[in-house]
Amino acid sequence: MHSATHQAIAAVWRIEARRIVAVVARMVRDIGVAEELAQDALVSALEHWPREGIPDNPGAWLMTTAKRRALDHLRRAKMLDEKHQEIGHDLEAQEALVVPDFVDALDAARQDDIGDDLLRLIFTACHPVLSTDARVALTLKLLGGLTTHEIARAYLVPEPTIAQRIVRAKRTLGEARVPYEVPRGEELAQRLASVLEVVYLIFNEGYTATAGGDWMRPELAQEALRLGRMLAEIAPKEPEVHGLLALMELQASRMAARTDAEGRPILLADQDRTRWDHLLIRRGLAALAKADALGGGHGVYALQAAIAACHARAVTAVQTDWKRIAALYGELAQVAPSPVVELNRAVAVGMAEGPAAGLAIIDSLAEEKSLRQYQWLPSVRGDLLAKLGRKAEAKAEFERAASLAGNEREREFLLKRAAELR
């Protein structure tokens, strides 16, 4: 009986934790303290629910208990007098004292407030004062609901390393006195870019793992999708949010077809498209249409989503509109120029105009310092050379790409391609 109750508590906690931390953080203005108080509420549930039964509204029970813990914390810290007027105007804090049936936290009228609190939490966890690694770890902990052990396992990093990153991140936010708020004006665009970057970094690590023995880490891709959908709900007027969500939905639609039964990579052109998830494709296309309707169709993420949409709309690989994809990469290169965008444009041009045209772009990137350790440069060059019949050169490029690859499956795949050219 207790085991079933504990499983139910774990399930509720996974769903509600980020909302509870967000609301409590607004009250105490400290993410570290908010997480501790939320954990106190979880401990209280573990103590009471096995004896008293699971309440009718378990999420609200946890929320109210955590808010009461927050008020106790403020009293103990002798902050109540200083903050009395502020707390007096905080409707949720007042209700936490007088509503005994635990229904306030999930009342429909409170959903906008909780959405605002989640936005504050996201912008705080992704603050530029933190390193990229710290932002990713803190976001997965506070908003993804992953434990320190789960984050460490997903990134193949020792658990103490992840724990230290999270502790240091909270300390840095406190020392920098980062305000717990949604930025306004010009700062909003800059900070939103940081938030979207973190979510997309998490997705990319799930979509194509940078290290280890697996080609993908689906749990990370799913967490990023969940974060993206949450952002779209609480920031519905931000076109780039919908652009990123569209990109992730469309790319995630291919995941079941990206590996064979042994976990080996399958190239896009060779994938069984009947295994693509058409629900995710529809969701992605709808999100892309929303981004376009909001005037963000030419944003960085929306353009990449438009490229993914070209693949999604092609029933077979030969029906892919490579000229359209090449044009979209050209537009992306204008909006967000980078060597990696040029590398991807070379692939599209090679498909649209022939391998010689793609190779000309690749060779122009040969001296680009940022790509010297990037395995996909020699990999793409090897593919184009192979199509031109220059097998010895192609073999050497695939072998060089394999030497740069950090992922074991990727390395095996590249060496296999090299072996086929003997």
Side-chain angles (χ1 to χ4, degrees):
M1 180 64 178
H2 282 194
S3 177
T5 303
H6 288 163
Q7 289 177 1
I9 293 171
V12 172
W13 179 252
R14 188 67 174 255
I15 295 168
E16 301 295 338
R18 60 179 179 267
R19 294 189 182 95
I20 294 169
V21 172
V23 170
V24 174
R26 172 169 53 79
M27 295 172 67
V28 301
R29 302 285 165 173
D30 187 307
I31 283 180
V33 172
E35 191 177 16
E36 291 174 6
L37 295 170
Q39 290 285 343
D40 285 347
L42 174 61
V43 170
S44 182
L46 290 168
E47 292 173 351
H48 289 277
W49 293 7
R51 294 197 312 266
E52 303 168 7
I54 299 173
D56 292 337
N57 201 333
W61 192 101
L62 287 168
M63 179 74 81
T64 304
T65 302
K67 290 194 294 183
R68 286 177 171 171
R69 294 286 193 277
L71 289 171
D72 290 342
H73 168 80
L74 293 174
R75 289 193 188 94
R76 285 195 302 270
K78 297 184 179 180
M79 292 173 62
L80 190 57
D81 288 339
E82 299 173 20
K83 299 290 184 179
H84 183 73
Q85 185 174 1
E86 178 185 343
I87 293 174
H89 290 297
D90 188 333
L91 179 60
E92 289 189 357
Q94 287 294 314
E95 288 177 345
L97 290 174
V98 299
V99 179
D101 58 357
F102 302 107
V103 298
D104 63 306
L106 296 184
D107 187 278
R110 288 286 162 270
Q111 292 305 306
D112 289 343
D113 293 339
I114 292 176
D116 289 343
D117 289 330
L118 283 170
L119 270 179
R120 293 186 188 99
L121 186 60
I122 291 171
F123 276 104
T124 304
C126 297
H127 197 283
V129 73
L130 302 175
S131 69
T132 300
D133 286 344
R135 277 182 270 167
V136 167
L138 193 59
T139 299
L140 284 172
K141 182 72 162 61
L142 296 180
L143 291 147
L146 273 65
T147 65
T148 304
H149 174 72
E150 288 171 330
I151 299 168
R153 184 179 60 191
Y155 279 91
L156 305 180
V157 174
E159 189 171 343
T161 301
I162 294 295
Q164 288 170 8
R165 282 180 191 170
I166 293 171
V167 169
R168 283 198 298 267
K170 293 174 184 175
R171 185 187 305 128
T172 299
L173 291 172
E175 292 173 350
R177 298 185 180 277
V178 171
Y180 186 68
E181 63 186 16
V182 177
R184 305 293 178 190
E186 295 181 1
E187 188 185 1
L188 176 61
Q190 296 176 337
R191 293 278 300 282
L192 182 61
S194 176
V195 171
L196 299 181
E197 177 193 17
V198 168
V199 175
Y200 197 37
L201 280 171
I202 294 169
F203 180 83
N204 277 337
E205 185 61 29
Y207 191 70
T208 305
T210 56
D214 295 319
W215 178 238
M216 298 181 292
R217 294 180 188 148
E219 69 279 8
L220 283 178
Q222 289 302 318
E223 288 300 334
L225 269 173
R226 186 163 67 169
L227 288 169
R229 291 166 184 163
M230 182 177 69
L231 272 172
E233 288 179 6
I234 59 182
K237 296 183 180 180
E238 295 294 336
E240 274 290 74
V241 169
H242 296 288
L244 174 59
L245 180 58
L247 175 57
M248 294 191 297
E249 300 273 18
L250 290 167
Q251 288 184 315
S253 71
R254 307 178 206 145
M255 291 186 72
R258 294 186 73 230
T259 55
D260 63 16
E262 283 73 43
R264 294 172 298 203
I266 300 176
L267 292 176
L268 179 61
D270 300 324
Q271 289 173 15
D272 178 359
R273 299 190 177 210
T274 63
R275 297 188 65 201
W276 288 4
D277 189 323
H278 292 280
L279 173 60
L280 290 180
I281 290 174
R282 288 195 296 273
R283 292 178 67 125
L285 294 176
L288 181 58
K290 192 169 291 186
D292 192 50
L294 289 168
H298 300 283
V300 172
Y301 295 111
L303 285 171
Q304 294 177 76
I307 292 167
C310 289
H311 293 296
R313 291 186 176 110
V315 178
T316 64
V318 295
Q319 292 178 308
T320 305
D321 189 349
W322 284 106
K323 288 186 178 180
R324 169 69 174 157
I325 292 174
L328 286 167
Y329 271 121
E331 187 175 349
L332 183 61
Q334 297 296 316
V335 175
S338 82
V340 173
V341 171
E342 278 299 292
L343 177 61
N344 287 316
R345 188 172 75 85
V347 174
V349 169
M351 295 298 293
E353 302 176 20
L359 188 60
I361 298 174
I362 290 291
D363 288 343
S364 71
L365 298 172
E367 300 304 317
E368 180 59 50
K369 291 181 179 179
S370 64
L371 295 181
R372 285 181 182 173
Q373 301 300 313
Y374 190 57
Q375 70 272 26
W376 294 116
L377 178 61
S379 174
V380 171
R381 191 168 191 273
D383 185 67
L384 293 169
L385 287 168
K387 289 176 179 176
L388 290 169
R390 295 160 62 177
K391 293 186 177 181
E393 294 173 83
K395 177 176 176 292
E397 290 292 343
F398 283 127
E399 289 173 344
R400 178 168 171 265
S403 72
L404 296 172
N407 182 283
E408 293 173 21
R409 292 291 189 179
E410 190 179 304
R411 190 181 305 115
E412 292 170 2
F413 175 78
L414 292 166
L415 288 174
K416 181 174 179 288
R417 294 210 67 185
E420 291 169 348
L421 292 167
R422 288 175 184 167

